[in-house]
Each structure stands twice: as C-alpha cells, then as structure tokens.
Amino acid sequence: MRYFIPLILVAVLLQSCKTETSSSDSDQRVETLLAKMTIEEKVGQMTQVTIDMILQNDKLDEIDERKLKAAILEKKVGSILNVKGQAYSREKWHEIITRIQDVATKESTSGIPVLYGIDAIHGSNYLTGSVLFPHNIGMAATRNPALVSNAASITAKETRSLGIPWNFDPVLDLGRQPLWSRFEETFGEDVYLVSTMGAAAISAYEGDDLSSPNNVASTMKHFLGYSHPASGKDRTPAYIPNNMLQEFYLVPFRKAVEAGASTVMINSGEVNGVPVHASKYLLTTVLRDQLNFKGVAVSDWEDVIRLHTRHRVADSPKEAVRMAIEAGIDMSMVPLDYSFYDLLLELVKDGTISEERINLSVRRILKLKFDLGLFNNPYPPTQKVLMSNNTTEEAALAATLESLTLLKNQDNILPMKEGAKILLAGPAANNVTALHSSWSYTWQGNDDRAYPSTTLTIKEAFEKELGAENVFSKSTRGFQDVENYTTDWILAAAKGVDCIVLCLGEQAYAEGPGVIDDLTLDENQIQLAEAAIATGKPIILVLVEGRPRIISMIEPDIKGILMAYRPSTMGATAIVQVLTGVYNPNGILPFTYPKKSGDLLTYDHKYSEGVREDVPNVYGNGAYRPQWPFGHGLSYTKFEFAGMKTDKNTYQPTDSIRVSVQIKNSGDKEGKASVELYSQDLYSTITPSFKRLRGFNKVSLKSGNSQEVNFVILASDLAFVNEQGEWVTEAGDFNLLIGNQSVMVRIQ
Ligand code: BGC
C-alpha cells in the first residue's frame, strides 16, 4: 500500500514555500513522515549502495530496471553513490538521477527521494570534460582561503547541476605522515591551515541554504585519525595519544562543525586498537556530545563489513552491524550488497537494536533530505547551467599559479631567459595523469583516455610558449613507458640547449594502490636525473607528486626546483608561466619536505625532538633538518619584514592579541607573499611544540611598495590540551614570530 503522506507533504510544501523551509518546519515534517514509516523503510534509509547495484552487469552506465527496483522498492535504499569506473556526461547524469528519483518518489510506498552522493574532491571530477582544480595539498600552498572557497563554490554548482546534492568533501585529515597515499588530498601538516582551508570549503559548499541550486551538502572526512597510520600504509592502525587527538586531529572537525558541515564520513582505520566504525567513544562521546554535531554520519566504503572481515572485532557480519550502529553510524556505505539492510532488519526485529535508536539516524537522514529541498524537487535542474568551462579554467589557473612553490633558485637560474632552448625529459613531461592523480575522471586518475583532449601536458605548454623548435623532448604520454627512462640520448641531445627541464615525481594513484615502501624517488628517475646532471647543463626540476619524495641525492646538482603538487587541468600552463617568468611564484610548502626517509619531523615538533647528540654529551638543537621546512617558498622578487609589534605586552587568557608588521617588496618585480604568524610557547606543563602557526595573510605588492599586515588572535588560541584532556591557556612567556621578526608577550 502506498502512503498518502508524501503527496500531502508535497501539497503542503507547494503551498507554504517557494524557498526552503525553516529548520523547525523540516523537523515537524520529519516527525510526521517518521511516524508513518515501517521498520523496513527506516532501515532502507540507512542503507547506501554503489551505482553498480542498479546498473546492467556488462555496462558502465546503463540502468538495469530490475536491479533498480530491487534496490529502491524491495530494499528501500535511501542513498546511492559513485560512478562505475568512469566519469559520465551531464546528459547521462541527468538520465540516471531522473530515473532513480522517478522510481523512488513515484513507485515506492514511502515516496522518499534518494540522496545521491559523489566524490567531487578537486572540481567535478566525475563529469566528463570538466576543469579540475589542484588537489588540496596545492590549494594549501596558496595560503589563500578565497581560492579554496571559489573552487568549492564552482564545484557545488556543477555537482548540483547534475542532480547530485551531496559531496564527500573536504578531507580534513592532517598530512603528517608523508608515506600515506592520500597525502595529496590533505591541506598539509598544520592544524590551523587544515582547519582554515577546510572551513572555507565547507562554507562555500553549503552556503546559507542547502536547497539552493548553488549548494551541496558537504562531508567532513575521515573522522578521526585516519591520516597517521604507523606504517604509512593506507587503512592500517594509528596510535595517537588522546591529548594529541584532541589538540591536533580533532580541531579541523570542530571548525568544520562550526562552519556548518551537514555530514561526516568515518575513518576506515583503527586508532589505538579500536576501529573507528566501532568506537562509541569517538562517534558518540566526541562527535555528538563534545562537538555537538547534529548531521549524518556515513560509514566509509564497506567498513561496517570490515569490522568482521578485516579488523576482527566482530565475530560475525551481524555483530559488525550491531557494533557500528551502537557506536553511532547513521548510514552504511555497504556498498556492494544488501547485507547491512538484511542484518539490521534482523537486529531490530529480534530486539537487539531498538527502534528508538534507528529513529535517531533516520531523523538525521530525512532532515538532510528536507534541507536539501529533495522533497520539493529531487530532479536535476532543467534550465541550462550558466557555468562555462572558461570561467572555471580562469579560476583553476588562478589557484594553480598561487599553488606552485619555488623551492630552489640557485644563481637565479629562473625565470628562464627569453628565447631559451630546452631539453625536456622525464615521465611527467608529456603526461596528463600525474598532473591530476586521484579522483580524476576515474578513481585512480591513471587512465590517459579519460582526460579531455584539450588538457595540455607540460611539453605541449612549453611548445606553445617557447615554440616547438625550442623544445627538444622524447617524452611519451605513459608515465611508465620505458622511453621515458632511457638515458643514452641525453648527452648528445643536450649539446645545443640552454638548460634541461626534468619533470619527475609520481604516477597517479588513489588510496591503497598508492601505497609505497620507500619515500625515496624511484630509482629509474634518479638515474635519469644523474644522466641529465652529467651533461653539465643547468638542470631545472619540476616535481609532479602528491607527497614529498626524497631527492637529497640529486638536489645539490640541480639549480632550480619547482614543486607542482597535483596541479590538474591548468597545471602545465601554470608551470610554464612560472618557469618562463610570466608569473611570479608565491606558493609556500604546506608540509615539511624531508631530506632523509628516516627523518620525518613536522615543523611543530617538540623542542625535545629537536635535540641531537652527534658528539657524545653535546646536545645541539639541529634535529629538524629537512630538505625544506614548512612554509618555505621563493619568489622572483624580495620581501623584507620590519617593525613587528603587539598592542600590549601582557594579556589575560580571555584577551585578543593584536599583531602588526611591515612588509616591503624590496626586489624589482611585482609579487605576492604569504605572511605567517607563529607562536612559540617557552615553557608549559606538557612539553610545548617548537612553534605553531596561528595565522596567515596573503599580500600583493608592487616593487618598492610596503604594507602593514595585521593579525588578531585570541590569547586562548595559544592553549594546549593537558594531561587530563582539557584545553588550558597557561600563564607564561610566548614568542610571536613573523619572518625574521619576533615579539615576546606574557599571558597572565
Ligand atoms: C574513500 C572515501 C570516499 C568513498 C566513496 C572510499 O574508499 O575512503 O574518501 O568518499 O570511498 O567513494
């Protein structure tokens, strides 16, 4: 029997609101609907399956009507995600979403629309032909939250225009373990940087009104402690002391809740021996009680099942479902079968899990669907989307240019002289996949055929800028092609050129397939670099990589080094603009670039971690000796700081601290600079960090011009988490640092 409630609701909605309704209205609607739902419908709402479950077995994008009806009418699934293997066109998305919603709203007993979710994590990466933005690691190098916000706004509009209202982004994991294969998806190693960029993305995704065609529900992920597996391997155990979880890993999630994140995705791994999907402490005490998060908690891929199959804390699949629900999961990304639906139904029917508990989750899910306006209109928009590829290209180019980070410029080898002739080599020189990496038209991003034909490789961008006759290269499109590693031709070919540009780094990867055993750059690339160095020509190295691969064995012989991260669609153009001096670089590292694979300190290490005893009984402070420190990045002009001051010398814990500094462009080119404010706690009851980032500001200055840069921080921003797990602002002396300037203040 079909309910009449949804029709009544639709009528009420049509009458009462053209725009979305107030929160209490949607709460009331949720309760009315919930009261009419069967247990089966409730459990179905908590079930999310992947699109494969509704597609024909041998097709990538054709709906199988029988499977679609089994999913929505029999198993009553509330949510579907993903693509099958590849990006779809706008028309295909419209066709798929329309058909899903037709069945959900017109044929199901409950009439509840389906919530479709996707990973659009650096632009609309599952829409064919879309323009992609740099991965977060590059966006963090810009130190410009407005660029993150702009990228998220564009992505929200594009995603929503496909009929998809839910985006599994942003990643708020801290990039403090450089071996980790998802490092490129992070905003780097620092808590404040990740929190600021993450909150900028969330505010832009969600806007003021989730039902607007400009907005999507965001997902703060992956809660909590995913990014620091002890072994560096994806989805393996992390051991993070509670005060560090609170002071470091939790902070970006707290800011994300404040910024309005509607949903959270859970860490697939385990922290301190407890898989997070089974942790009532993390999912209820911390997430709900401490952070006051009210939205939907979705599991990650297959992770409820894995409590039994991988983590081995549940001795049966049914026990795994019980544990996850008891811990606090609202929706299970099952995603390739209906085991969750079947088992949860059994658990409710046999009384192991109460209906009240189920109602708690279903309420959150229905509320999100109401807030997204899906009960008003679950279909893709019919009007044409205004967003053009040109606008997106401009936005992506602006972000990419600000992300590129000049790490080394010995003898001012860069920018290249006009009329330069170059030899271009390396696996990333004539390749698009490494420029984009994970989540680019395919999950792994490593399928050259999936990329738009208009996307330039570095070789093509150089040929456009310098003329094909000035670019000598044998590089081919496949990152692993053997031709890209041969060295016997280099000496002869280098004869007539001014310099050699080497494009090295990493092939595209995502998650598990990106696991490595060695942070050192691959041997065949080191050999290529050595052959180039042996020519005696100046070498410029462009690093196209998602994490800092060790290059200390070749670095001394290389004059210019540019970090490109994963710059995506406009990457090649931007790289060439920086190398040729069309654009003055201003990105700065969002992580510490290590020199040795066994020496992986972050910039905010403890004083005590900085101590070395190279000579017996002689203790120096030289242990933080990376290849390049966090915040490092050069410009073609010169910036100088002077006159740093604070409004007072002594502050109460509740006070604001006003800090100012003068910055001058004393070089001969216009340029941008990231001004960073650090604090240094001299003594505290828990060993203090050597320094911590407290603010940043980006300025643009013409040659010879100066500007005052101001910061306002709270004295309580200098707090830390003590042994009892409480945030405390301890009295004492702190240095505040900007560039080469510092001021000491006292907290009373
Ligand atoms: C990833 C998530 C992603 C999900 C859905 C998982 O494998 O860990 O980040 O959102 O898949 O695609």
Side-chain angles (χ1 to χ4, degrees):
M1 196 193 74
R2 294 200 60 193
Y3 291 153
F4 292 102
I5 280 294
L7 295 179
I8 295 166
L9 281 175
V10 170
V12 171
L13 282 164
L14 287 178
Q15 261 201 344
S16 67
C17 54
K18 282 275 183 283
T19 60
E20 196 47 24
T21 46
S22 74
S23 186
S24 58
D25 282 347
S26 66
D27 287 348
Q28 191 43 55
R29 286 199 188 99
V30 167
E31 293 310 322
T32 311
L33 184 50
L34 195 66
K36 303 283 173 190
M37 287 169 73
T38 62
I39 305 276
E40 285 78 2
E41 284 164 344
K42 292 178 182 177
V43 169
Q45 285 303 308
M46 297 170 68
T47 304
Q48 186 187 55
V49 293
T50 191
I51 193 170
D52 304 43
M53 295 292 283
I54 60 159
L55 295 182
Q56 295 173 26
N57 289 342
D58 52 351
K59 297 272 171 48
L60 294 176
D61 57 9
E62 293 300 324
I63 287 186
D64 179 325
E65 284 294 324
R66 191 191 53 79
K67 287 167 81 178
L68 178 64
K69 290 188 176 166
I72 295 177
L73 305 183
E74 280 168 41
K75 300 295 179 180
K76 306 174 194 319
V77 303
S79 181
I80 302 178
L81 84 153
N82 217 6
V83 290
K84 187 171 172 185
Q86 56 165 37
Y88 300 146
S89 67
R90 183 176 305 280
E91 295 67 38
K92 183 50 81 176
W93 273 120
H94 281 202
E95 179 191 315
I96 291 172
I97 302 288
T98 302
R99 188 63 202 128
I100 291 172
Q101 301 297 21
D102 272 347
V103 175
T105 60
K106 296 182 187 150
E107 296 181 38
S108 78
T109 46
S110 70
I112 301 173
V114 162
L115 177 57
Y116 206 99
I118 199 83
D119 295 87
I121 75 157
H122 65 135
S124 305
N125 44 244
Y126 281 146
L127 169 65
T128 46
S130 61
V131 174
L132 303 189
F133 288 83
H135 270 287
N136 286 348
I137 199 71
M139 295 302 274
T142 68
R143 298 296 197 274
N144 188 345
L147 294 170
V148 172
S149 181
N150 196 28
S153 294
I154 290 173
T155 307
K157 280 195 195 83
E158 281 182 350
T159 303
R160 196 77 201 234
S161 80
L162 304 177
I164 303 175
W166 186 13
N167 190 10
F168 306 134
D169 195 56
V171 168
L172 299 178
D173 302 303
L174 302 180
R176 298 171 76 81
Q177 163 53 289
L179 281 165
W180 189 47
S181 53
R182 304 190 73 171
F183 194 86
E184 66 193 27
E185 296 180 50
T186 76
F187 288 111
E189 78 189 30
D190 177 69
V191 177
Y192 177 80
L193 180 56
V194 174
S195 305
T196 307
M197 296 308 207
I202 287 166
S203 307
Y205 282 138
E206 304 235 352
D208 300 331
D209 174 8
L210 270 188
S211 71
S212 147
N214 296 333
N215 298 128
V216 287
S218 65
T219 306
M220 45 179 194
K221 70 183 190 184
H222 307 78
F223 187 85
L224 182 73
Y226 179 29
S227 60
H228 211 143
S231 68
K233 311 282 193 286
D234 191 36
R235 294 183 158 84
T236 58
Y239 301 92
I240 307 174
N242 199 42
N243 63 343
M244 188 126 195
L245 265 183
Q246 291 278 342
E247 188 178 327
F248 287 75
Y249 293 86
L250 189 61
V251 176
F253 289 91
R254 172 170 312 113
K255 300 285 175 205
V257 172
E258 286 163 17
S262 294
T263 75
V264 62
M265 191 184 291
I266 309 308
N267 164 16
S268 303
E270 57 185 73
V271 178
N272 305 332
V274 183
V276 182
H277 284 77
S279 171
K280 189 160 191 170
Y281 168 67
L282 289 176
L283 300 190
T284 300
T285 310
V286 176
L287 181 66
R288 302 291 178 185
D289 303 345
Q290 196 182 321
L291 296 197
N292 200 21
F293 176 65
K294 303 258 186 262
V296 173
V298 63
S299 84
D300 201 347
W301 187 274
E302 223 177 88
D303 281 321
V304 176
I305 294 172
R306 286 174 185 163
L307 292 178
H308 170 60
T309 57
R310 183 182 288 179
H311 297 287
R312 306 177 79 93
V313 289
D315 60 7
S316 69
K318 187 170 171 182
E319 174 60 7
V321 172
R322 190 201 63 77
M323 276 185 157
I325 297 300
E326 287 295 323
I329 297 286
D330 295 316
M331 183 186 283
S332 170
M333 190 186 287
V334 193
L336 285 159
D337 60 39
Y338 294 107
S339 57
F340 177 83
Y341 172 86
D342 295 334
L343 296 171
L344 182 54
L345 201 56
E346 273 180 44
L347 286 161
V348 181
K349 288 195 167 160
D350 68 22
T352 312
I353 290 180
S354 69
E355 191 170 351
E356 214 18 70
R357 167 63 193 89
I358 300 298
N359 286 348
L360 198 65
S361 292
V362 179
R363 236 178 232 124
R364 292 176 185 140
I365 295 164
L366 294 178
K367 166 103 168 69
L368 179 60
K369 291 186 178 187
F370 273 113
D371 289 349
L372 282 164
L374 295 182
F375 283 91
N376 270 351
N377 178 8
Y379 293 102
T382 42
Q383 77 280 21
K384 213 163 160 28
V385 192
L386 299 173
M387 190 71 52
S388 78
N389 260 11
N390 284 350
T391 321
T392 316
E393 273 182 12
E394 267 174 42
L397 181 60
T400 314
L401 285 167
E402 288 203 30
S403 74
L404 298 178
T405 306
L406 184 61
L407 297 174
K408 183 172 181 184
N409 196 12
Q410 193 180 326
D411 306 330
N412 292 327
I413 184 77
L414 291 168
M416 289 170 173
K417 308 291 162 277
E418 232 173 272
K421 267 190 185 331
I422 65 166
L423 187 160
L424 185 67
N430 195 17
N431 165 281
V432 290
T433 57
L435 289 174
H436 294 71
S437 195
S438 51
W439 311 102
S440 300
Y441 313 107
T442 62
W443 172 46
Q444 291 295 309
N446 60 3
D447 184 353
D448 183 72
R449 294 162 307 176
Y451 284 79
S453 58
T454 46
T455 304
L456 297 182
T457 66
I458 297 176
K459 174 172 177 275
E460 289 161 348
F462 260 126
E463 287 170 348
K464 254 178 103 177
E465 183 66 29
L466 302 178
E469 65 287 4
N470 293 318
V471 180
F472 185 83
S473 179
K474 289 188 163 192
S475 293
T476 57
R477 285 186 75 96
F479 195 91
Q480 310 292 7
D481 293 351
V482 279
E483 298 92 305
N484 287 329
Y485 303 92
T486 57
T487 54
D488 50 356
W489 58 281
I490 289 186
L491 189 61
K495 289 251 154 59
V497 303
D498 297 296
C499 64
I500 299 178
V501 179
L502 283 180
C503 302
L504 306 181
E506 300 188 299
Q507 167 59 318
Y509 54 76
E511 305 184 36
V515 163
I516 49 172
D517 299 316
D518 190 348
L519 204 51
T520 308
L521 190 64
D522 293 347
E523 184 57 30
N524 52 3
Q525 297 194 57
I526 301 286
Q527 284 166 1
L528 185 67
E530 281 165 349
I533 290 164
T535 64
K537 291 285 177 185
I539 312 287
I540 289 153
L541 172 60
V542 180
L543 289 168
V544 183
E545 58 188 14
R547 60 197 147 192
R549 302 298 294 265
I550 307 278
I551 52 163
S552 49
M553 67 302 285
I554 51 172
E555 177 276 332
D557 297 313
I558 296 176
K559 284 188 181 271
I561 304 182
L562 183 70
M563 179 61 163
Y565 313 96
R566 298 298 200 181
S568 302
T569 309
M570 303 310 290
T573 303
I575 288 166
V576 169
Q577 286 196 11
V578 166
L579 295 181
T580 56
V582 173
Y583 187 80
N584 188 358
N586 51 70
I588 61 174
L589 284 176
F591 54 81
T592 299
Y593 202 116
K595 196 180 222 164
K596 305 278 182 187
S597 61
D599 191 13
L600 302 179
L601 282 186
T602 49
Y603 88 93
D604 51 8
H605 60 84
K606 306 271 186 186
Y607 286 86
S608 44
E609 287 174 297
V611 173
R612 279 183 80 111
E613 188 188 0
D614 293 330
V615 176
N617 296 318
V618 178
Y619 300 98
N621 271 329
Y624 182 62
R625 39 175 127 174
Q627 190 76 63
W628 296 287
F630 176 86
H632 173 75
L634 305 170
S635 165
Y636 294 147
T637 191
K638 206 174 150 213
F639 292 101
E640 285 174 52
F641 293 102
M644 179 175 172
K645 49 182 196 285
T646 51
D647 58 338
K648 293 193 283 184
N649 299 327
T650 308
Y651 298 88
Q652 300 300 319
T654 49
D655 284 350
S656 299
I657 305 177
R658 290 168 196 282
V659 187
S660 66
V661 74
Q662 291 290 328
I663 178 169
K664 178 173 186 191
N665 180 349
S666 56
D668 58 7
K669 288 191 175 66
E670 182 171 357
K672 291 186 180 177
S674 294
V675 183
E676 293 194 310
L677 171 67
Y678 291 90
S679 72
Q680 205 168 38
D681 190 353
L682 298 187
Y683 298 93
S684 59
T685 49
I686 291 267
T687 54
S689 290
F690 178 66
K691 59 177 188 172
R692 295 287 296 271
L693 184 66
R694 302 302 182 187
F696 52 80
N697 229 314
K698 193 117 188 211
V699 298
S700 181
L701 284 173
K702 292 211 159 58
S703 163
N705 283 9
S706 301
Q707 187 184 318
E708 183 174 280
V709 181
N710 296 292
F711 294 92
V712 182
I713 60 167
L714 303 172
S716 58
D717 288 343
L718 306 177
F720 63 91
V721 174
N722 69 11
E723 229 181 333
Q724 289 71 43
E726 304 147 351
W727 281 93
V728 283
T729 315
E730 272 186 2
D733 291 336
F734 291 79
N735 279 326
L736 298 178
L737 315 156
I738 298 176
N740 60 352
Q741 307 276 298
S742 79
V743 174
M744 190 185 282
V745 296
R746 167 157 291 193
I747 308 292
Q748 279 183 329

